[in-house]
């Protein structure tokens, strides 16, 4: 009874604390070049990560590769903007996530970056926007990718935050993991 009335006062939550409780997840989506299986697997992985992080914000990002030297074509043969087409494709990719998790209240953003080096663009974007977690797909292994490096390996090496790389198992790998 002696403690009645001496409960701690509810202190206001600062903006910094609110931001810290709401991590930003970046979904790096190659809507033009990734296989449909990889895009589906990436979407499912992003959905699960956002589901496990209450209050998480999702930034869906795609990179339009531009030429280092010379002029870039900004429209297709029909005169439509390639930037807008890529943005629309990115929104279509994310539609099942946004509908399933109700991310319409400012927790979902879309960005199409234009850069000659997609990995550098993603790393710089993540630093500028204080991204907490990057989720991206990795296309198949090849000798050329092993020699020159891939976008995903460069992002993993240079990023300041957690990076999840999503792969689709090949038919042989899927059969081996199912049997073993």
């Amino acid at each position: 009874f002696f403690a009645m009335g001496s409960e701690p006062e509810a202190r206001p939550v600062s903006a910094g604390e609110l931001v810290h409780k709401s991590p930003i997840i970046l979904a790096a989506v190659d809507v033009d070049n990734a296989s449909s299986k990889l895009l589906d697997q990436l979407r499912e992985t992003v959905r699960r990560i956002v589901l496990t992080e209450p209050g998480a914000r999702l930034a869906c990002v795609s990179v339009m590769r531009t030429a280092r030297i010379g002029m870039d074509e900004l429209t297709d043969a029909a005169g439509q903007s390639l930037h807008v087409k890529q943005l629309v494709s990115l929104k279509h990719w994310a539609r099942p996530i946004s509908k399933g998790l109700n991310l319409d209240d400012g927790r979902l953003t879309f960005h199409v970056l234009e850069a000659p080096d997609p990995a550098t663009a993603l790393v710089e974007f993540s630093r500028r926007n204080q991204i907490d977690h990057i989720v991206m797909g990795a296309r198949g292994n090849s000798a050329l990718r092993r020699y020159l490096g891939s976008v995903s390996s460069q992002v993993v090496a240079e990023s300041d935050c957690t990076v999840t790389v999503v792969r689709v198992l090949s038919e042989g790998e899927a059969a081996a993991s199912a049997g073993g």
Side-chain angles (χ1 to χ4, degrees):
F1 290 109
F2 295 113
M4 296 236 357
S6 62
E7 289 86 10
E9 293 181 25
R11 64 179 182 80
V13 177
S14 72
E17 290 174 323
L18 199 59
V19 167
H20 186 65
K21 291 181 181 179
S22 302
I24 304 173
I25 299 164
L26 183 152
V29 186
D30 188 359
V31 289
D32 290 338
N33 300 313
S35 69
S36 61
K37 284 184 179 183
L38 180 57
L39 290 173
D40 291 343
Q41 184 66 40
L42 181 61
R43 184 184 308 109
E44 178 59 22
T45 302
V46 168
R47 187 191 68 76
R48 282 186 278 154
I49 290 171
V50 171
L51 195 60
T52 60
E53 292 282 353
R57 295 170 287 164
L58 177 61
C60 297
V61 178
S62 186
V63 180
M64 272 182 57
R65 193 180 294 256
T66 57
R68 290 186 193 273
I69 300 173
M71 297 293 291
D72 289 310
E73 291 293 324
L74 302 176
T75 58
D76 63 6
Q80 296 177 334
S81 168
L82 296 175
H83 188 99
V84 172
K85 286 177 74 172
Q86 193 156 345
L87 185 60
V88 169
S89 296
L90 190 59
K91 287 184 176 188
H92 283 297
W93 173 85
R95 183 177 293 147
I97 298 171
S98 61
K99 296 296 181 199
L101 298 177
N102 296 324
L103 291 177
D104 297 330
D105 58 341
R107 292 177 44 206
L108 178 63
T109 58
F110 298 94
H111 311 270
V112 175
L113 310 176
E114 295 181 19
D117 182 15
T120 301
L122 290 169
V123 170
E124 287 177 6
F125 182 88
S126 70
R127 284 187 183 133
R128 279 194 318 267
N129 293 284
Q130 299 175 352
I131 300 295
D132 297 295
H133 192 155
I134 299 173
V135 184
M136 63 187 310
R139 291 184 285 178
N141 290 328
S142 69
L144 184 61
R145 281 194 200 285
R146 268 184 259 123
Y147 178 69
L148 295 177
S150 65
V151 172
S152 57
S153 64
Q154 186 177 343
V155 170
V156 168
E158 296 178 9
S159 181
D160 296 333
C161 64
T162 302
V163 179
T164 300
V165 179
V166 177
R167 289 192 176 278
V168 175
L169 296 176
S170 68
E171 299 297 325
E173 291 171 329
S177 67

